[in-house]
Amino acid sequence: MDRIYLDHNATTPLRPEVVETMLHVLRDVPGNPSSTHAEGAAARGLVERARARVAELVGASPDEVVFTAGATEANNTVLAALARGVAGTGHLVTTAAEHPSVQEPADALEARGWRVTRLGVDADGRLDLDALEAGLAEAPALLSVLWANNETGVLQPMTEIAERARAHGVPLHVDATQALGKSPVDLARVPADYLSASAHKLNGPKGIGCLVTRGGADLAPLVLGGPQEKRRRGGTENVAGIVGFGVACELAHKELASRMESLGALRDRLFEGLRQRIPDLRWNGSREHGLVNTLNVEFPGAAGDVLLQALDLEGVAVSAGAACHSGSISPSHVLLAMGRTAEQAHASLRLSVGYGNDAAQIERVLEILPERVARARAAAGA
Ligand SMILES: Cc1ncc(COP(=O)(O)O)c(C=O)c1O
């Protein structure tokens, strides 16, 4: 039996169109985009075409897109530039449910004397807008907010957050890594100043992503060492990766509406089927304000890591928390921020659907998972 991959928030399979185009580049486009000969110009042309595709998906202009090695680098670039741009120490406002690639640079700022305000989230994982208002009133150097949470799929009210940041004159950074390709992300509608993303979350390759800076805002580069990306990020461009990212963005742009509908139907069937069979399960997050592909559920009395392993042996890949945390036994900080106990967090699984999943696979998971939950509960004496 083929395996069933339900871990699309960790990473996604490449679309065949992406693979084909990348293979062509790897095989037939040897030039360095900085070179002035024909080989260089061919590579440069492809990079610029990809840049336009990425820009189109996020509602920015191509000039505003800087390619990076991924969202981790983009997030680090923004927070490191912040530290360099402010004389002495300053104030950063962010949330208690960020991805580690914002959390850890924020911790590093704090260790250097910065004040970091981590805004709380409610039981559904949504930001408290009154607390946001109070944080903004203190005129911090930056507000950094995760658009869609990687663990729960919870979407923040980004338009409102961006409007409030603007009203207070506070620059806004959004990590849109999970939102891109699964939910509308349009900087024309959400006036953020900086946006981070990674190609591999939307069926593109790993190791490539971007930082979008609105108005081409001058950010001190994190990676120095060359004139590439208009001196905003040194180093020879990952041409094949960039081209693959561009194709993935073009597909996402064309297919967003149909993708959201089909993934939402799979996710909803999965939840309804589980709820019929396991009545006391609990949704972690917000069904109304969540990514259509993400289901984070608590199975009270069953250990998430035990379930994960049992499902893996049955050919089903899921996550018991953020991918970056797997192997670690510390409970998810996102679920703790939502008021769950460590025990509840340990009893939770993340199932995220995406390209390649179909209704038959979901039915198969509905046959396997409830029985595994019953066994895990019996083993735990629940
Ligand atoms: C919300 C979010 N931000 C940032 C990242 C980091 O992406 P990458 O590992 O591709 O740099 C991830 C990946 O897990 C993510 O989900």
Side-chain angles (χ1 to χ4, degrees), residues 148-286:
N149 191 281
N150 45 302
E151 297 190 34
T152 58
V154 170
L155 287 158
Q156 297 301 342
M158 284 317 309
T159 309
E160 218 167 335
I161 290 170
E163 279 165 3
R164 288 180 186 220
R166 183 149 285 196
H168 285 274
V170 174
L172 171 64
H173 165 240
V174 292
D175 179 349
T177 308
Q178 292 291 339
L180 204 63
K182 293 184 259 187
S183 186
V185 170
D186 182 1
L187 288 175
R189 202 173 46 81
V190 175
D193 299 275
Y194 310 107
L195 176 146
S196 307
S198 261
H200 71 102
K201 306 289 186 180
L202 61 152
N203 310 111
K206 295 168 184 58
I208 186 74
C210 68
L211 172 61
V212 181
T213 60
R214 286 303 267 174
D218 240 354
L219 261 196
L222 183 69
V223 182
L224 299 166
Q228 292 88 358
E229 298 296 279
K230 300 203 173 126
R231 292 214 158 268
R232 293 173 295 183
R233 201 269 189 180
T236 302
E237 296 88 341
N238 171 0
V239 178
I242 288 171
V243 170
F245 187 16
V247 175
C249 287
E250 187 184 29
L251 291 168
H253 192 59
K254 273 194 216 145
E255 298 171 4
L256 187 62
S258 62
R259 227 180 246 193
M260 286 179 69
E261 201 182 314
S262 59
L263 296 182
L266 291 177
R267 195 272 314 260
D268 288 347
R269 169 63 193 144
L270 184 57
F271 180 65
E272 290 309 330
L274 289 175
R275 191 161 65 169
Q276 281 160 12
R277 294 162 177 83
I278 313 168
D280 57 348
L281 58 73
R282 179 179 184 185
W283 185 303
N284 290 321
S286 164

Side-chain angles (χ1 to χ4, degrees), residues 9-11 68-75 98-102 146-151 175-179 182 196-201 205-209 322-324 350:
N9 284 14
T11 195
T68 64
T72 300
E73 184 190 317
N75 289 341
E98 294 298 304
H99 186 269
S101 55
V102 164
L146 182 52
W147 192 311
N149 191 281
N150 45 302
E151 297 190 34
D175 179 349
T177 308
Q178 292 291 339
K182 293 184 259 187
S196 307
S198 261
H200 71 102
K201 306 289 186 180
K206 295 168 184 58
I208 186 74
C324 326
R350 178 186 71 186

Side-chain angles (χ1 to χ4, degrees), residues 314-328:
E314 296 267 11
V316 183
V318 301
S319 171
C324 326
H325 301 160
S326 57
S328 119

Side-chain angles (χ1 to χ4, degrees), residues 87-142:
T89 57
H91 181 200
L92 166 71
V93 176
T94 183
T95 84
E98 294 298 304
H99 186 269
S101 55
V102 164
Q103 232 182 12
E104 291 183 20
D107 293 347
L109 285 177
E110 198 170 37
R112 290 170 47 187
W114 274 62
R115 203 173 133 218
V116 178
T117 302
R118 297 173 184 82
L119 302 171
V121 294
D122 63 18
D124 288 345
R126 301 262 287 175
L127 199 58
D128 175 348
L129 290 176
D130 289 339
L132 171 71
E133 195 62 38
L136 290 171
E138 295 189 51
L142 183 79

